Amino acid sequence: MVSIIKSIAKNIIFFGFIMGTVVGAFCWLFMFLINLSTNFLWHELPHIIKVSNFTMTIILCIVGGIMIGLGQKFLGPYPKEMEEILHEYKLTKTIDYKPLPKYIVCAFLPLIFGGSIGPEAGLFGMVAMFSTFLSIKIKNSNPELKEELIETSTTAVLTAIFEVPFFSSFSYDKNSIHKLKLISKKLLNYITYTCTTLSAYFIIKFLNNLTHKESFIFKLEQNNISSKELLFFIPILILSIIIGLSFNYIGQLIKYICKKTKLSLSPFIAAIIGGFTLAALGAYFPLTLFSGEHALREIVNDFEELGVSYLVLIAFLKILATKISVNFRWVGGQIFPTIFASFCIAFALSCILNIDSTYLVAITATGVITVVLKKPILAVVLICFFLPVTHWIFAIISAFLINFINNKFICKTSISKYLCI
């Protein structure tokens, strides 16, 4: 009995609190350096060398393309997307940690040079590698230690990135390393994952408060929902599916172009072309650059002044920039840009239909994210942090209804290879 209690305490204290704290601090430091470098390159440097933002955007994107291309040529095809890492783990039950230094450099460059991507793909791989390395270096480890370290630490990655507590049941992928298991058999794992998540969350909050960093999560206004708005639920739901599928089609089109031109065989050239393309987009439409995380407030505060045409245009250009980034070796996560684009669509619809924007975010943003990322739980969790509690039900219904329609009908049609990715 005493040995069992000691084992439980060891798992909770070591795997939970210590790993959560270490992973949270690691993720925070990486993102802090990203913000520091980005601020210098894009805000301070133009004043130092006295050039316009337009010119600086072109210079930085082109220089970024060259540096990323060199990194792809001499360091390797890093970072990998989250699905690739999960697939590797599923097959081998481990992650190769040797390329970690190269991985950090390759993940860092696209994020500071304006790639329309989020940090989650790079950080997910880094943490998995770091956990594998740590498990090997710990003496007298049992055979399950490596798996425990990887699972508990990667549980904390999304919590650290989005600054909200993601638990193991809110997995990134239905086939991911955090499969929902019977609580009666895996109670210890759930306690451990919860401790990991909470410790990562609190260390992130502590470090953010220490550096006065404002979270990108904010609450939208709470308004009463009228019968008129309820009548629009199904039409908006259908429109969300159409928009999400069109976003997917953009991705497939970019992938098809890369395949036909054989750019995937030359990552150096692909990265440079990506830099020139992002330079052209970003010079005229600055909101297409970066993840969109810090531009959400601007959209929310100024959507009426921006106008319907601009909001719709910027949403599609944002997805275009993201797909160009990912396919032209500016690899990163697609969650942040998809949230940004879906918010633009929701506020554009609010202007057109003259109905509550918060209600439209609950349906449209959740729906579009569900179609694009195929992650209904992730979509609900992310969007609900922006919503008042009274609107959560619309997000939940939207996500699971759209996911059902997508899996049952859309992905079984002849066009599924183009629209379901």
Side-chain angles (χ1 to χ4, degrees), residues 14 69 76 84 103 114 161 177 211 220 223 226 267 341 344 359 416 419:
F14 181 74
E84 294 180 69
Y103 204 97
I161 293 169
I177 57 178
T211 54
L220 296 169
N223 300 306
S226 66
C344 289
Y359 174 71
S416 62
L419 299 179

Side-chain angles (χ1 to χ4, degrees), residues 31-67:
M31 291 184 287
F32 176 77
L33 292 174
I34 292 291
N35 291 333
L36 203 64
S37 303
T38 302
N39 184 63
F40 173 76
L41 289 174
W42 293 83
H43 299 291
E44 295 180 19
L45 189 58
H47 294 294
I48 295 172
I49 62 176
K50 294 181 171 58
V51 299
S52 66
N53 290 333
F54 182 92
T55 305
M56 200 67 206
T57 297
I58 294 174
I59 293 171
L60 287 174
C61 287
I62 292 173
V63 170
I66 295 169
M67 291 186 68

Side-chain angles (χ1 to χ4, degrees), residues 340-389:
F340 176 84
S342 65
F343 266 63
C344 289
I345 295 294
F347 283 103
L349 286 174
S350 178
C351 293
I352 295 170
L353 302 174
N354 194 28
I355 60 178
D356 179 37
S357 58
T358 304
Y359 174 71
L360 282 167
V361 166
I363 304 170
T364 310
T366 310
V368 170
I369 293 169
T370 300
V371 173
V372 174
L373 300 179
K374 304 292 186 294
K375 311 292 183 276
I377 296 178
L378 182 66
V380 169
V381 174
L382 284 173
I383 296 303
C384 281
F385 279 104
F386 291 96
L387 301 174
V389 178

Side-chain angles (χ1 to χ4, degrees), residues 215-230:
S215 173
F216 85 99
I217 297 287
F218 55 90
K219 286 292 182 182
L220 296 169
E221 291 184 3
Q222 179 171 346
N223 300 306
N224 293 325
I225 300 170
S226 66
S227 55
K228 171 192 171 183
E229 287 160 335
L230 291 174

Side-chain angles (χ1 to χ4, degrees), residues 3 27 68 81 112 122 144 189 210 212 251 296 307 329 393 408:
S3 61
C27 293
I68 292 165
E81 294 192 57
I112 67 170
E144 296 181 354
N189 282 351
L210 203 63
H212 306 289
L296 274 178
R329 298 312 306 164
I393 185 64
K408 192 74 174 178

Side-chain angles (χ1 to χ4, degrees), residues 71-328:
Q72 293 292 307
K73 185 174 182 178
F74 294 107
L75 299 179
Y78 306 115
K80 297 178 182 179
E81 294 192 57
M82 294 173 75
E83 287 85 354
E84 294 180 69
I85 299 163
L86 292 168
H87 181 68
E88 180 184 344
Y89 178 83
K90 184 179 178 182
L91 291 177
T92 64
K93 289 298 179 184
T94 188
I95 304 291
D96 182 15
Y97 66 86
K98 293 176 183 177
L100 181 57
K102 300 177 182 179
Y103 204 97
I104 292 173
V105 174
C106 290
F108 188 79
L109 291 175
L111 291 168
I112 67 170
F113 281 108
S116 184
I117 51 173
E120 63 272 15
L123 276 171
F124 199 84
M126 289 179 217
V127 169
M129 290 178 179
F130 174 72
S131 303
T132 305
F133 170 78
L134 191 61
S135 69
I136 291 172
K137 295 303 177 182
I138 294 174
K139 296 180 180 180
N140 302 320
S141 61
N142 60 63
E144 296 181 354
L145 180 58
K146 184 189 296 181
E147 187 172 344
E148 288 291 338
L149 274 168
I150 295 172
E151 291 191 5
T152 53
S153 58
T154 49
T155 299
V157 173
L158 291 179
T159 294
I161 293 169
F162 295 100
E163 301 173 24
V164 290
F166 280 88
F167 297 97
S168 58
S169 58
F170 298 146
S171 62
Y172 179 77
D173 188 274
K174 65 182 179 180
N175 294 316
S176 73
I177 57 178
H178 308 303
K179 289 181 178 178
L180 189 63
K181 299 173 182 177
L182 292 175
I183 295 177
S184 59
K185 295 181 180 180
K186 293 293 179 179
L187 180 60
L188 178 58
N189 282 351
Y190 276 97
I191 295 172
T192 306
Y193 295 155
T194 301
C195 292
T196 306
T197 298
L198 290 177
S199 56
Y201 173 71
F202 284 117
I203 192 64
I204 287 287
K205 294 295 287 185
F206 171 75
L207 292 171
N208 282 342
N209 290 335
L210 203 63
T211 54
H212 306 289
K213 181 183 179 294
E214 185 180 21
S215 173
F216 85 99
I217 297 287
F218 55 90
K219 286 292 182 182
L220 296 169
E221 291 184 3
Q222 179 171 346
N223 300 306
N224 293 325
I225 300 170
S226 66
S227 55
K228 171 192 171 183
E229 287 160 335
L230 291 174
L231 287 173
F232 274 104
F233 182 82
I234 297 300
I236 293 168
L237 206 65
I238 295 170
L239 187 59
S240 300
I241 295 174
I242 295 170
I243 291 168
L245 292 175
S246 65
F247 285 177
N248 285 348
Y249 183 78
I250 291 172
Q252 290 294 339
L253 182 61
I254 299 296
K255 190 180 290 185
Y256 176 80
I257 292 170
C258 289
K259 184 179 179 181
K260 285 296 180 182
T261 56
K262 298 183 179 180
L263 281 172
S264 57
L265 301 177
S266 180
F268 176 69
I269 300 299
I272 293 175
I273 294 173
F276 275 92
T277 309
L278 290 174
L281 281 172
Y284 292 98
F285 301 98
L287 289 177
T288 59
L289 297 176
F290 299 103
S291 66
E293 168 192 352
H294 300 293
L296 274 178
R297 289 182 187 272
E298 180 182 339
I299 294 296
V300 173
N301 295 331
D302 303 330
F303 72 92
E304 291 178 341
E305 289 77 10
L306 292 172
V308 173
S309 300
Y310 184 82
L311 287 169
V312 173
L313 176 64
I314 209 67
F316 280 88
L317 289 180
K318 186 67 178 178
I319 294 299
L320 176 64
T322 300
K323 299 303 182 181
I324 288 171
S325 297
V326 171
N327 287 284
F328 285 76

